[in-house]
Amino acid sequence: MLRPQPQGGAVALIAFTAMALLAFFVYQDTWMKYEYEVDKDFSSKLRINIDITVAMKCQHVGADILDLAETMITSNGIQYEPVFFELTPQQRLWHRLREEHSLQEVLYKTVLKGAPTALPPREGTASEPLSACRIHGHVYVNKVAGNFHITVGKPIHHPRGHAHIAAFVSHDTYNFSHRIDHLSFGEEIPGIINPLDGTEKITTSHNQMFQNFITVVPTKLHTSSVTERGERIPIPC
Ligand SMILES: *[C@@H]1O[C@H](CO)[C@@H](O)[C@H](O)[C@H]1NC(C)=O
């Protein structure tokens, strides 16, 4: 006959704790693996996620997208929000993390633990006017070459193309200094730092224009944990 031993319970508990600890360490060791593949789906639209702050007032700037066929994509999903251009020390820290692309893995893990993925709100109140404009939101575009531009004046369409009305904007207010907090393609994955995230360009000239050329390659992201035996435990993301 078997009688339950008091130590038996203790051993089981210790074993369980050890397993929980092990699992914890395994989960700590997340890494990223990217797989590139040919996109065979031409008909679906591609989502572009944008969060850019320009050092000009919102009423003076307009953003829109033109594709290869010069068709203007309606940018209803894009919002204009008056903000301060200068970041507070706390926001700057958050921003620095994004600039340091080598911190990708660290950041991704902190996001798994529920850290904020957006720029933290400004702490305290400032007295200067909100002289910058944060342009953020998303747009769906065709998978063809095109350009997203932010320039002086609100965009208008007319049958033969599109234009920006800039007649009443003084040249002295032109300032294309900008900060890209987020620019990505496809569904947003929290914690991923994209190539232009964290870029800040300051100019002291009113005539400076900035251009970035981007090639989008379809990528699949798999995250898995690897134990010493090489086992993989998928992590939902
Ligand atoms: C544009 O704004 C930035 C940030 O406020 C400032 O540092 C820069 O001197 C400005 N440039 C011009 C041309 O006014």
Side-chain angles (χ1 to χ4, degrees), residues 26-43:
V26 166
Y27 273 86
Q28 286 274 296
D29 193 24
T30 319
W31 56 284
M32 301 215 173
K33 180 172 166 248
Y34 296 92
E35 264 171 33
Y36 304 94
E37 57 182 47
V38 176
D39 188 6
K40 296 178 218 81
D41 179 9
F42 297 114
S43 53

Side-chain angles (χ1 to χ4, degrees), residues 190-231:
I192 297 289
I193 306 174
N194 299 280
L196 286 174
D197 292 1
T199 328
E200 188 175 69
K201 297 279 180 225
I202 305 288
T203 175
T204 49
S205 155
H206 297 296
N207 293 320
Q208 179 90 41
M209 166 175 102
F210 297 95
Q211 278 184 298
N212 286 294
F213 298 89
I214 309 171
T215 306
V216 185
V217 180
T219 315
K220 270 191 179 171
L221 175 72
H222 300 278
T223 48
S224 27
S225 284
V226 180
T227 65
E228 278 184 10
R229 280 174 292 145
E231 251 177 73

Side-chain angles (χ1 to χ4, degrees), residues 53-56 85-86 92 150 152 171-179 199-211:
T53 300
V54 189
M56 274 186 282
F85 191 77
E86 271 75 32
R92 188 145 288 285
I150 297 175
V152 175
H171 188 248
D172 293 345
T173 62
Y174 284 26
N175 187 343
F176 288 103
S177 300
H178 64 280
R179 188 173 58 240
T199 328
E200 188 175 69
K201 297 279 180 225
I202 305 288
T203 175
T204 49
S205 155
H206 297 296
N207 293 320
Q208 179 90 41
M209 166 175 102
F210 297 95
Q211 278 184 298

Side-chain angles (χ1 to χ4, degrees), residues 85-199:
F85 191 77
E86 271 75 32
L87 296 174
T88 62
Q90 196 205 331
Q91 288 180 317
R92 188 145 288 285
L93 183 72
W94 183 91
H95 199 260
R96 224 352 76 72
L97 283 178
R98 262 150 189 79
E99 231 169 331
E100 288 295 335
H101 285 224
S102 55
L103 287 178
Q104 170 74 78
E105 307 246 322
V106 180
L107 206 74
Y108 188 71
K109 278 183 223 170
T110 58
V111 164
L112 285 181
K113 292 184 200 131
T117 55
L119 190 69
R122 222 187 155 77
E123 64 271 24
T125 46
S127 47
E128 327 99 74
L130 300 168
S131 55
C133 188
R134 176 179 169 216
I135 299 168
H136 61 115
H138 63 263
V139 215
Y140 286 91
V141 298
N142 295 316
K143 290 178 183 171
V144 294
N147 82 73
F148 167 71
H149 56 265
I150 297 175
T151 187
V152 175
K154 295 294 174 199
I156 50 151
H157 344 219
H158 55 87
R160 274 198 263 135
H162 109 293
H164 287 257
I165 300 297
F168 307 110
V169 185
S170 146
H171 188 248
D172 293 345
T173 62
Y174 284 26
N175 187 343
F176 288 103
S177 300
H178 64 280
R179 188 173 58 240
I180 304 176
D181 285 318
H182 184 87
L183 184 69
S184 68
F185 299 85
E187 290 309 312
E188 269 187 87
I189 305 173
I192 297 289
I193 306 174
N194 299 280
L196 286 174
D197 292 1
T199 328

